[in-house]
Amino acid sequence: MEPSSMYRWDLDEVEHGVRPGGDGTPVAPERDDATAAPGATSPEIAPGPDPRPTAATDDRAVADVVFGAEHVSRPRHVPTTLDGARASVLVHAMRGGMDAGSAGSLVASHLLASHPTTRVATFDIDELMDYRSRRPTMTFSSPRYTDYDDPVLALDHVATPQGGVLLLHGPEPDLRWEAFSRAVREIVERLGVSTTVGVHGVPMGVPHTRPIGVTAHASREELVDPQPDIFGTVQIPGSASALVEYRLGQWGHDAMGFAVHVPHYLAQAQYPAAASELVRSISRVTGEELDTSALDEAAAVVAVEVDRQIADSPDVAALVEALENQYDAFQEAAGRSLLASTEVPSADELGAQFEAFLAEQADSDREDDGGGSAGR
């Protein structure tokens, strides 16, 4: 298969991890130093949101919590060539599709901040992004523009004590989903990936006071453990991640994903407890040791704040109590839906709920981008 022009490799494709120097002496290929500091990454990385519920934005401060001195000394494989970056699992968590609680985005930012990472490939964002629908941020400091927040869709190698996983992260493509899926297939086959894993959050009628649920899906039933059939057959808005999973399955590759259940009243907030559950799900699939300490600490802080706000609102407290009763009844009587108090919603009703959630996300994106597509 001919390499796609949609992305470029950021590592040298050479055998044995070396290339001949000018004097014939093997030298390491040039690259950004991914081990200069705990969680250090290439300057091109556009980190995801900070999972801690603070007003200030500090995208990588979570590394200080997870990747302390006791972890730094542990050996990790940092690849210098494409062959060295080969991994059996590729995780994809792209921003833009359904992601209640920012669960998938928090997973990506957490993995980047808490592990040494190496840039493996970078996609040509001009081929994939509609800038007028998602306008990147620019900084104006009179009398000139002083900064531009470059959108980056990239593949990184995330080093772990067991070896590592590949992480595809950044903005979801607006355009050319089929070509993008073929490009991911090329990467999967070149780097020896045996399983791809997508992660995201879905809004559900569940209380935050009960264990977090996760729905697994896969291109083959054998890839997932038996689980309650909550959704049945529904039609929902598509995403690039979902199409990648679907196409890879058609092409004979194992592809799966995890949808974590986020309380619908917290769907628009960052919910690190959901991200932590996704990381644990990835660990179960990959066998890789992925620390969730920072996410768990952030989740505890968020839980205290949510409980405080609920205590100040009798109406919300009554809603949470009703959801708790519903959840408990479901556990006692198999087959009871978590989505409704008496019966499973129809496909149209579920689709409408998901559409409404995505519309709210789009409105939020437009506000963040300073007006979104206004002025077209």
Side-chain angles (χ1 to χ4, degrees), residues 175-198:
L175 311 170
R176 303 188 64 191
W177 282 9
E178 293 288 359
F180 175 71
S181 298
R182 291 192 295 270
V184 174
R185 176 189 181 182
E186 293 172 8
I187 291 172
V188 162
E189 294 177 349
R190 171 62 183 85
L191 297 181
V193 173
S194 58
T195 306
T196 60
V197 184

Side-chain angles (χ1 to χ4, degrees), residues 84-137:
R86 289 171 65 89
S88 61
V89 173
L90 184 153
V91 176
H92 51 96
M94 293 177 285
R95 304 186 305 274
M98 181 184 299
D99 191 23
S102 299
S105 295
L106 290 177
V107 168
S109 61
H110 170 74
L111 292 178
L112 292 171
S114 59
H115 299 75
T117 60
T118 304
R119 180 57 44 83
V120 177
T122 304
F123 282 82
D124 184 353
I125 202 69
D126 275 352
E127 291 285 316
L128 299 169
M129 185 170 175
D130 179 358
Y131 288 91
R132 293 202 301 168
S133 67
R134 289 192 288 179
R135 296 178 185 270
T137 301

Side-chain angles (χ1 to χ4, degrees), residues 12 25 52 83 93 102 104 112 123 146 169 180 184 195 197 213 223 232-233 236 245 251 289 304 346 353 360 365:
D12 290 337
T25 303
R52 297 172 301 172
D83 284 339
S102 299
L112 292 171
F123 282 82
T146 58
H169 64 99
F180 175 71
V184 174
T195 306
V197 184
L223 295 176
T233 300
I236 61 174
E245 179 179 319
W251 294 325
E289 181 182 332
V304 170
S346 67
Q353 292 178 16
E360 291 176 1
D365 288 343

